[in-house]
Structure formats: structure tokens, C-alpha cells
Amino acid sequence: MVEQLYRGAKAAGFVANAIWGGEPLLRQDLGRLCRSSRQNGMMTTVITNGLLLPDRAHEIGKEVHSIIVSLDYPESKGHDSFRGTPSLFARAVEGIEALKKMNSPKRIVINCLLHRGNENMMGQMADLARSLGVSLWVCPASEGISRETGETNKEALASRESEQQAARELLDLKKKGYPINNSRTYLHRYLLNMTPYVCRAPFAFVTVTPEGNVTNCFNKDRPYGNVRTSSFDEIMKNWNRREAASITKRCWKCNNPDIVDTSYIWGLRLEPSLNLLKAFLPK
């Protein structure tokens, strides 16, 4: 079914595919799915916590355009404790090193979730990325509520002052030539100064949930359709991009750099566009 989905995505004109979770490396057929995505003309990215990466690197490394590995601390003690998984840091680093030996994919990225526990460690995270020969993407944690318990993670979020300090540090590191993927526009205009942006992310991409629902951030309760019962390209005929742009243009609550920078790029801002070409497109 997933391979049929990718064929439908090609027919609908999609050019990029991010495979993430849960944890995608738990799928035994992931290598075949990555190959199918690539063969259907999409720039394919796998986002993983890295635990199984040393064992699966050879299956997916040559099939994808980029791999994003979640690392939130520059050393094992902090990262393993935060993620609740022993040896996770070491396994993730081992997987990155295996990919580097393969020289594939060309783009390997560390994704660091900025939160209260690591808010003063951006320099160390940048040093880690440089030492591994990969780039760094910093994403501030956003507030969420557990469906099971109703508890919020608000106490774990970085303070506004710490986010601003992180933005200043990352801008300085980027100026010094460190491999920071966040655009200067995002770091200065959004993370540092919290200037509102016009959201265009739902105009550019959709999410396919594990249940097969094709959704956007604003219509999770009324999806465009379900790929278990209809082909993706047929579902996308009901995708009204203008409606999506109209609904979300006054929303700027997402702090994820992929959402914000996508919106900047759609707004024809030059620096985020050039930054994307440098950070993610083929060398």
C-alpha cells in the first residue's frame, strides 16, 4: 500500500517525502519503501532516533537523499536519560559513522530539540556536528498535552530568554562557519525577535497518518481522504491549496524551523531559499 501511495504522490506532483514516526527503522521493509520513494522521483528523508541505524544503514543509506538523526545532548549521559533509552547516543553516533563510511547519503543532519535541559549547550551541539562531519538543525520544543494523562510539558520548555540566547549563539556559530542548517532569517526574525510570519506550510505539503488519513494541521478531524480506501492522487484532487493558504495565513504559532522556513521560502525571501539549497539539496 505504501508503494502505491508513493506512485500516487508522483502523479499528484509531490517532489519530497519525509519518512518518520514513531520510529521508521522498526519497519522491516523500510529499505524497499525508501527505494520506491526515490524511484518515484521524490527527495527522500528518513528521520530516526538512531537506535537501529548501525544495523540498517546499509539498507537505506544509498536509497535516500538525507537522514536526520535526533540528538539532544552532546554526550551520552544527558541524551540517554532524556530519551529514556540506554546506549541510544552511542548507537546513533555509530550509525552516523557507518553512513559516513558509505559516503551515502550526502546529507546527514543532527536534529536537536531545544528545551530547558540543553538550552545552554548549542555550542557543544555545534561542535559535535562538526566533529562528526554532519550539520545541525535546532528545533525548539513546543508545548503539548498528553492524551492519556492530560499533563503538559510546559515546565520542560526553554524560557523565552534562553531561546533568544540560543538564537544569538547559533547566529554567531553560523557566521563562524559551523554547519548550522537553520536559516539566519529564522534565527533572527523568528526565534530571536518572534516576528509573526505568514504560514504557507499547508500549501506545500500534507501528512499521511499511520491510519492512512491525509491531513493538514488545520483539518485533522476532517481529512482529505484515506489512502486505504482511495488512491493518493485521487484524494489530492480535493486538495484546495488556496483554501489551505487562506485558512492558515493568520496563524504563526508553529515554531518548527521547517514550517517557518517553508513559509519564508513561499514568501520569496532570498536567504532562507539559498540556505535550503545549501543545507538539503544535492551537492
Side-chain angles (χ1 to χ4, degrees), residues 108-110 135-137 174 179-183 261 275 279-280:
I108 305 171
V109 181
I110 289 175
S135 57
L136 175 67
W137 204 2
K174 194 174 179 77
I180 309 298
N181 278 350
N182 304 76
S183 72
D261 271 340
N275 185 77
F280 282 105

Side-chain angles (χ1 to χ4, degrees), residues 143-155:
E143 186 174 356
I145 300 175
S146 171
R147 292 181 180 180
E148 291 77 18
T149 66
E151 295 179 349
T152 176
N153 65 341
K154 192 172 183 178
E155 292 300 318

Side-chain angles (χ1 to χ4, degrees), residues 1-281:
M1 186 191 76
V2 178
E3 291 173 280
Q4 182 180 354
L5 164 64
Y6 293 159
R7 290 192 293 271
K10 177 182 180 181
F14 282 79
V15 298
N17 177 29
I19 304 173
W20 61 317
E23 173 50 50
L25 269 64
L26 289 171
R27 288 196 65 124
Q28 294 303 308
D29 60 350
L30 182 62
R32 191 181 81 238
L33 298 182
C34 291
R35 185 178 310 112
S36 174
S37 178
R38 175 179 58 79
Q39 290 174 343
N40 279 288
M42 287 183 286
M43 292 186 295
T44 304
T45 297
V46 169
I47 305 173
T48 174
N49 65 17
L51 183 64
L52 301 177
L53 191 55
D55 306 321
R56 308 292 303 277
H58 66 285
E59 296 177 50
I60 63 173
K62 295 186 181 299
E63 303 295 348
V64 299
H65 169 261
S66 60
I67 291 180
I68 299 177
V69 182
S70 296
L71 285 173
D72 306 309
Y73 285 82
E75 40 72 34
S76 58
K77 182 179 179 181
H79 183 70
D80 295 352
S81 175
F82 179 68
R83 293 275 175 166
T85 306
S87 303
L88 181 57
F89 181 90
R91 293 282 291 175
V93 170
E94 182 183 352
I96 290 172
E97 291 174 339
L99 293 169
K100 294 292 291 184
K101 288 179 181 178
M102 293 169 53
N103 196 31
S104 189
K106 298 295 185 182
R107 303 293 185 185
I108 305 171
V109 181
I110 289 175
N111 182 70
C112 174
L113 186 69
L114 174 64
H115 61 281
R116 191 173 296 276
N118 67 0
E119 57 193 5
N120 298 315
M121 299 181 182
M122 295 303 100
Q124 293 166 272
M125 292 303 302
D127 284 335
L128 174 65
R130 174 180 273 186
S131 71
L132 291 172
V134 302
S135 57
L136 175 67
W137 204 2
V138 177
C139 179
S142 56
E143 186 174 356
I145 300 175
S146 171
R147 292 181 180 180
E148 291 77 18
T149 66
E151 295 179 349
T152 176
N153 65 341
K154 192 172 183 178
E155 292 300 318
L157 303 181
S159 67
R160 182 72 193 106
E161 293 77 13
S162 293
E163 287 186 344
Q164 291 176 310
Q165 180 56 37
R168 295 187 190 97
E169 188 170 4
L170 290 166
L171 282 165
D172 184 57
L173 289 164
K174 194 174 179 77
K175 186 177 181 180
K176 292 177 178 177
Y178 277 82
I180 309 298
N181 278 350
N182 304 76
S183 72
R184 290 192 300 274
T185 305
Y186 170 83
L187 293 170
H188 185 270
R189 184 178 175 83
Y190 180 79
L191 193 59
L192 180 59
N193 293 314
M194 201 56 72
T195 304
Y197 63 92
V198 178
C199 183
R200 287 293 183 264
F203 187 84
F205 50 73
V206 296
T207 297
V208 181
T209 70
E211 298 78 22
N213 289 327
V214 182
T215 70
N216 253 318
C217 54
F218 62 88
N219 70 339
K220 293 179 181 179
D221 58 339
R222 47 184 181 87
Y224 298 116
N226 190 290
V227 296
R228 296 182 184 273
T229 57
S230 304
S231 67
F232 183 79
D233 50 317
E234 286 295 322
I235 293 172
M236 285 295 93
K237 291 179 180 178
N238 297 320
W239 184 25
N240 188 328
R241 280 186 168 93
R242 292 186 181 275
E243 178 191 30
S246 176
I247 290 173
T248 60
K249 68 180 180 181
R250 293 180 180 85
C251 177
W252 60 284
K253 64 183 180 181
C254 289
N255 60 6
N256 288 357
D258 55 336
I259 299 294
V260 182
D261 271 340
T262 294
S263 301
Y264 288 150
I265 291 166
W266 225 260
L268 300 180
R269 288 186 176 273
L270 181 60
E271 191 271 332
S273 302
L274 295 176
N275 185 77
L276 175 71
L277 291 172
K278 181 180 179 181
F280 282 105
L281 296 188

